[in-house]
């Protein structure tokens, strides 16, 4: 059996932990630079605030409905997630942290346990120790555990936040209830295709032939179908190195000059290089993209990306910054107001197993140099040592006009109790 534990409206719940006056009030959390709605409390959903809605378009809705609006407080959310995951990891030796607010537990050898009670114990402990509410789905496969979790969340009072699919009757009932668009792993394009065929529920999907599903949705779709049928095909995934690493940001204002964007792209490339070194990897390809502000319909629009195959694998700040700016020069067009850029490093390889080139290779002097740079930055704070291509006086700061205190990660923001 697998258990999927999902934190309820996680970002909103984190804000409520340290501000109980927000209980029962509509809350939304905004994306980087306070751009779009990325999290909503149940009360905000009931008002009709859509996920991904631009914040400036919802200002009247926020005001008229007394919605509490917060900037993304990533240090707080990350720390609270770490606390929740540590607690839940005590309930099984086999865990997979699926996202910031979701974790799978493999309950192998728990046949004699009362899983309903066990799940309720998990919820109680997390709530008592962190203040974060959760719901739990338990089933023979990971895909069914996802479905069970949705039922536990939808009917939390009836299920006490824990729902178990442990027989075919419950499985069939759950799949007939679950819309095809809510099935784990079924994206928008597959949803459109399946609905055109009259497939509107997860149960309908399981009635398709294996041959058809494999042909139309590949082997991944076939595995998902088997999972929904109760056949275990997906196990707990152990930690693996990332296959690609990206650093992307929206600018605090529109940029029109290439030198302004070059500075940002250099910083993004350096960030990617640091992440590569943390997992002892190098990259063999690099992608750079830029685009204008799509919400500004009155301005001319442009977006472009380019992928460079590097002449040698590297994780050097200096080399990746150079390659990234070379790529930017190839796609930049004057006359546009650019709002976002990003750097993605791909085709990663282990640093100890990188393929050498006969004619051109990464500068070996960069290896000890990067070690020193990483050590200084980790000791004295990030961005103490920068490249000359970066703005030495500028630290990247997002627009966060509605940021709550970092209660658990900053001494200056710790709650003061008056007695």
């Amino acid at each position: 059996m697998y258990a999927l534990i999902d934190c309820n409206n996680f970002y909103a719940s984190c804000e409520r932990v340290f501000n109980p006056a927000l209980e029962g009030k509509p809350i939304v959390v905004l994306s980087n630079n306070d751009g779009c709605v990325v999290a909503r409390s149940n009360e905000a959903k009931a008002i009709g605030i859509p996920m991904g809605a631009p914040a400036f378009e919802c200002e009247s809705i926020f005001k008229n409905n007394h919605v509490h609006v917060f900037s993304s407080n990533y240090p707080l959310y990350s720390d609270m997630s770490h606390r929740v995951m540590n607690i839940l990891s005590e309930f099984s030796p086999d865990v997979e942290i699926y996202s910031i607010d979701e974790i799978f537990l493999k309950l192998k050898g728990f046949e004699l346990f009362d899983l309903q009670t066990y799940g309720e114990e998990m919820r109680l402990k997390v709530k008592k120790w962190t203040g974060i509410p959760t719901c739990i789905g338990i089933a023979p496969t990971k895909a069914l555990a996802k479905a069970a979790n949705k039922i536990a969340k939808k009917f939390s009072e009836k299920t006490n936040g824990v729902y178990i699919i442990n027989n075919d009757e419950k499985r069939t009932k759950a799949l007939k209830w679950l819309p095809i668009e809510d099935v784990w792993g079924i994206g928008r394009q597959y949803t459109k295709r399946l609905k055109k065929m009259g497939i509107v529920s997860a149960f309908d999907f399981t009635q398709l032939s294996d041959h058809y599903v494999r042909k139309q949705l590949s082997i991944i779709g076939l595995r998902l179908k088997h999972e929904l049928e109760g056949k275990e095909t997906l196990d707990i995934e152990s930690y693996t190195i990332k296959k690609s690493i990206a650093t992307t940001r929206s600018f605090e204002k529109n940029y029109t000059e290439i030198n302004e964007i070059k500075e940002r792209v250099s910083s993004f490339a350096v960030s990617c290089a640091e992440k590569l070194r943390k997992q002892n990897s190098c990259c063999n390809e690099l992608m750079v993209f830029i685009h204008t502000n799509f919400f500004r319909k009155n301005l001319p629009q442009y977006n472009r990306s380019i992928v460079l195959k590097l002449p040698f694998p590297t994780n050097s700040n200096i080399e990746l910054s150079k390659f990234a700016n070379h790529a930017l020069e190839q796609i930049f067009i004057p006359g546009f107001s650019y709002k976002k850029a990003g750097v993605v490093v791909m085709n990663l390889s282990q640093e100890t197993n990188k393929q050498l080139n006969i004619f051109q290779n990464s500068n070996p002097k960069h290896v000890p140099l990067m070690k020193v740079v990483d050590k200084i930055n980790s000791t004295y704070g990030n961005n103490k040592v920068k490249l000359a291509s970066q703005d030495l006086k500028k630290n990247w700061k997002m627009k966060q006009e509605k940021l709550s205190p970092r209660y658990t990660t900053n001494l200056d923001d710790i709650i003061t109790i008056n007695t």
Side-chain angles (χ1 to χ4, degrees):
M1 299 289 277
Y2 291 86
L4 174 67
I5 301 91
D6 182 16
C7 300
N8 300 345
N9 305 318
F10 181 59
Y11 288 1
S13 294
C14 288
E15 299 292 349
R16 283 175 169 160
V17 168
F18 299 96
N19 189 354
L22 295 174
E23 289 290 344
K25 306 290 179 61
I27 298 172
V28 298
V29 178
L30 304 180
S31 62
N32 291 345
N33 293 309
D34 293 346
C36 302
V37 174
V38 294
R40 304 161 295 165
S41 66
N42 289 336
E43 296 80 7
K45 295 175 185 177
I47 293 170
I49 299 173
M51 178 68 83
F56 72 90
E57 292 183 358
C58 297
E59 288 181 357
S60 60
I61 299 177
F62 295 159
K63 184 177 180 180
N64 294 337
N65 293 278
H66 306 288
V67 178
H68 296 264
V69 182
F70 293 94
S71 303
S72 293
N73 192 337
Y74 295 121
L76 174 64
Y77 306 153
S78 178
D79 183 65
M80 293 299 290
S81 172
H82 182 69
R83 295 173 187 227
V84 171
M85 300 309 168
N86 278 346
I87 293 169
L88 292 171
S89 296
E90 297 176 1
F91 287 87
S92 172
D94 299 317
V95 303
E96 176 190 341
I97 298 176
Y98 184 67
S99 68
I100 193 171
D101 62 347
E102 293 178 285
I103 183 173
F104 282 105
L105 304 184
K106 187 173 184 179
L107 302 177
K108 185 178 181 180
F110 286 70
E111 290 79 10
L112 299 180
F113 279 63
D114 181 341
L115 295 182
Q116 179 72 31
T117 302
Y118 199 59
E120 291 173 4
E121 288 176 3
M122 294 185 206
R123 293 190 70 227
L124 180 62
K125 191 168 186 178
V126 171
K127 178 67 175 177
K128 185 176 181 180
W129 286 21
T130 68
I132 300 295
T134 59
C135 282
I136 301 175
I138 301 175
T141 69
K142 291 169 74 175
L144 286 175
K146 271 274 191 178
N149 183 274
K150 288 183 178 293
I151 295 172
K153 187 171 291 187
K154 180 69 175 179
F155 307 101
S156 58
E157 292 186 5
K158 185 176 180 180
T159 63
N160 202 19
V162 180
Y163 188 73
I164 303 172
I165 297 176
N166 53 6
N167 57 50
D168 278 340
E169 182 181 355
K170 283 187 173 182
R171 182 182 66 83
T172 301
K173 186 177 180 180
L175 296 184
K176 287 182 177 180
W177 171 82
L178 185 65
I180 188 63
E181 61 267 24
D182 289 343
V183 174
W184 182 42
I186 298 291
R188 292 182 181 178
Q189 295 305 316
Y190 283 142
T191 295
K192 292 179 182 178
R193 186 186 306 178
L194 291 168
K195 282 191 171 182
K196 285 181 180 179
M197 299 166 49
I199 307 300
V200 297
S201 70
F203 180 78
D204 295 337
F205 177 64
T206 61
Q207 301 309 295
L208 296 172
S209 69
D210 284 2
H211 174 74
Y212 181 85
V213 172
R214 179 162 187 168
K215 182 178 179 180
Q216 297 296 323
L217 279 73
S218 76
I219 186 65
I220 296 175
L222 182 59
R223 288 173 182 167
L224 175 59
K225 177 177 179 289
H226 289 168
E227 283 268 314
L228 294 174
E229 292 171 336
K231 305 170 186 175
E232 182 182 355
T233 61
L234 303 175
D235 202 348
I236 294 294
E237 295 184 6
S238 58
Y239 171 78
T240 57
I241 66 170
K242 294 181 179 179
K243 297 180 180 179
S244 64
I245 294 173
T247 301
T248 68
R249 295 284 189 276
S250 295
F251 306 141
E252 73 278 11
K253 64 178 182 178
N254 291 335
Y255 286 166
T256 58
E257 300 296 327
I258 189 172
N259 287 336
E260 292 178 309
I261 303 177
K262 273 188 172 182
E263 191 280 328
R264 291 290 83 207
V265 166
S266 286
S267 294
F268 300 162
V270 167
S271 176
C272 288
E274 291 170 347
K275 295 173 184 177
L276 283 170
R277 294 195 296 274
K278 283 183 179 179
Q279 64 174 35
N280 299 314
S281 297
C282 293
C283 70
N284 294 275
E285 292 180 329
L286 175 146
M287 181 178 79
V288 174
F289 73 82
I290 50 174
H291 67 67
T292 52
N293 189 342
F294 299 138
F295 295 116
R296 297 288 299 274
K297 304 298 183 182
N298 59 317
L299 297 177
Q301 300 295 322
Y302 172 78
N303 71 90
R304 182 79 186 277
S305 65
I306 186 173
V307 176
L308 291 186
K309 185 173 178 61
L310 305 186
F312 48 79
T314 180
N315 57 20
S316 163
N317 293 3
I318 300 169
E319 291 167 342
L320 284 179
S321 175
K322 177 182 175 182
F323 290 133
N325 277 306
H326 176 64
L328 175 64
E329 291 170 355
Q330 297 183 55
I331 61 175
F332 178 85
I333 296 180
F336 291 95
S337 298
Y338 295 96
K339 185 59 177 177
K340 188 173 184 178
V343 175
V344 185
V345 291
M346 305 175 293
N347 191 6
L348 308 188
S349 58
Q350 285 289 330
E351 189 172 18
T352 53
N353 297 326
K354 58 186 178 183
Q355 182 67 44
L356 299 180
N357 192 309
I358 296 177
F359 303 105
Q360 190 178 12
N361 282 296
S362 177
N363 190 333
K365 294 181 180 179
H366 289 185
V367 176
L369 176 60
M370 292 301 108
K371 288 182 179 179
V372 173
V373 169
D374 290 340
K375 186 173 183 179
I376 292 174
N377 284 337
S378 65
T379 303
Y380 299 101
N382 289 333
N383 300 317
K384 294 299 182 183
V385 180
K386 294 184 176 183
L387 299 181
S389 58
Q390 297 177 262
D391 188 334
L392 302 181
K393 297 181 180 180
K394 182 175 183 178
N395 287 321
W396 182 259
K397 289 186 177 180
M398 294 184 291
K399 178 184 176 183
Q400 295 177 306
E401 295 178 348
K402 304 177 185 300
L403 186 66
S404 58
R406 293 163 292 176
Y407 299 103
T408 64
T409 61
N410 191 312
L411 286 173
D412 294 331
D413 291 343
I414 290 178
I415 290 177
T416 300
I417 300 176
N418 297 319
T419 59

